[in-house]
Amino acid sequence: MVGKIQAKGLSKSFGKVRAVDGLDLNVEPGEIVGFLGPNGAGKSTTVKMLTGMIEPDSGQARVCDIDVAADPVGAKRCLGYVPESGALYESLSPAKFLRMVGSLYGLRPRHAEQRKDRFLELFGMSEARDRLLGACSKGMKQKVLISAALLSNPQVLFLDEPLNGLDASAALVVKTLLKELAGQGRAILFCSHILDVIERVCTRVVIIHEGRKLAEGASEQIAAECGADTLENAFVELTGVRDTERVAREMLVALQ
């Protein structure tokens, strides 16, 4: 099974709002593609269509060459997903939650237990393994979500702000791990608002706004095409985000 993500002409509306408008997107094996856009640009809606959480109005989503709409269960078997705000069963412990995830993926119990224990150990959570998730910190919960996404050894990963709440050491582990996974041929879609992380981690960047693709390519290429010195400045130029320096000055004035 080849790790690959494909969106062809994906569109989705909510009432009169066109969240995604004819979007084409490809993530090849071995790529980490940064998926950027301002709030409300359509990133989360796109990811939900690609993971089979919602159906597109038109277009096609494929994961590992599986049509997500035609075979959503088959597509989910080959992907891992870290949502921006993960819904965890807070009455379960990290160990029980990961055990449940392994069962849902149909993993052999012995393999699932070994991976679960190893992930908790490597994330420094062995002592918290039996603590209720409702009593865990944001960073601990994020480590559990990342472990759950990796547990089945997926060929495709969808990551929506995966470093949220992680301490510097854990974030460095995750960034290094993602590069290693890409080196093994996984396809990874990385959504984040932290542009310097995108520049350091991703092999290619896709910027969308109002559900449409505005730019695609290496960070340096996009910046050069916009006449900007950084991806951040190119992003501001492309998406029409307000003059950040002016807004900051006006907020300071408002405090006076």
Side-chain angles (χ1 to χ4, degrees), residues 34-44 84 159-164 190-199 208 231-232 235 239 241:
F35 196 38
L36 302 178
N39 291 334
K43 302 187 302 298
S44 293
E84 182 178 11
L159 308 173
D160 200 346
E161 300 291 354
L163 306 183
N164 241 345
F190 190 115
C191 307
S192 179
H193 291 104
I194 308 174
L195 299 189
D196 58 338
V197 171
I198 291 291
E199 286 186 289
I208 68 169
L231 178 63
E232 183 176 43
F235 179 83
T239 59
V241 175

Side-chain angles (χ1 to χ4, degrees), residues 11 213 233:
S11 295
K213 183 162 59 178
N233 289 334

Side-chain angles (χ1 to χ4, degrees), residues 39-114:
N39 291 334
K43 302 187 302 298
S44 293
T45 300
T46 300
V47 170
K48 287 177 180 177
M49 288 189 285
L50 287 166
T51 55
M53 296 176 67
I54 60 175
E55 292 186 7
D57 295 334
S58 60
Q60 187 181 55
R62 298 184 68 85
V63 174
C64 296
D65 288 326
I66 298 170
D67 187 318
V68 177
D71 186 7
V73 174
K76 288 181 174 70
R77 285 196 185 103
C78 69
L79 66 85
Y81 175 39
V82 177
E84 182 178 11
S85 52
L88 292 165
Y89 292 101
E90 298 202 339
S91 60
L92 295 179
S93 66
K96 288 183 178 178
F97 180 80
L98 293 176
R99 190 174 294 124
M100 179 192 71
V101 171
S103 177
L104 290 172
Y105 273 108
L107 301 181
R108 293 179 180 176
R110 184 170 63 86
H111 289 167
E113 285 294 308
Q114 288 174 344

Side-chain angles (χ1 to χ4, degrees), residues 70-185:
D71 186 7
V73 174
K76 288 181 174 70
R77 285 196 185 103
C78 69
L79 66 85
Y81 175 39
V82 177
E84 182 178 11
S85 52
L88 292 165
Y89 292 101
E90 298 202 339
S91 60
L92 295 179
S93 66
K96 288 183 178 178
F97 180 80
L98 293 176
R99 190 174 294 124
M100 179 192 71
V101 171
S103 177
L104 290 172
Y105 273 108
L107 301 181
R108 293 179 180 176
R110 184 170 63 86
H111 289 167
E113 285 294 308
Q114 288 174 344
R115 288 178 186 174
K116 167 185 67 65
D117 291 343
R118 192 62 174 144
F119 285 154
L120 291 174
E121 177 190 351
L122 293 172
F123 269 134
M125 290 188 59
S126 293
E127 293 184 2
R129 57 178 288 122
D130 296 318
R131 184 185 306 173
L132 293 183
L133 282 164
C136 289
S137 68
K138 166 65 178 174
M140 287 181 176
K141 291 177 181 177
Q142 194 69 6
K143 291 174 182 179
V144 173
L145 285 170
I146 293 169
S147 298
L150 295 172
L151 198 65
S152 66
N153 195 22
Q155 292 300 305
V156 164
L157 279 170
F158 293 91
L159 308 173
D160 200 346
E161 300 291 354
L163 306 183
N164 241 345
L166 295 183
D167 57 57
S169 177
L172 183 58
V173 168
V174 172
K175 286 184 283 188
T176 304
L177 175 62
L178 293 179
K179 291 179 180 179
E180 293 292 332
L181 289 170
Q184 294 177 0

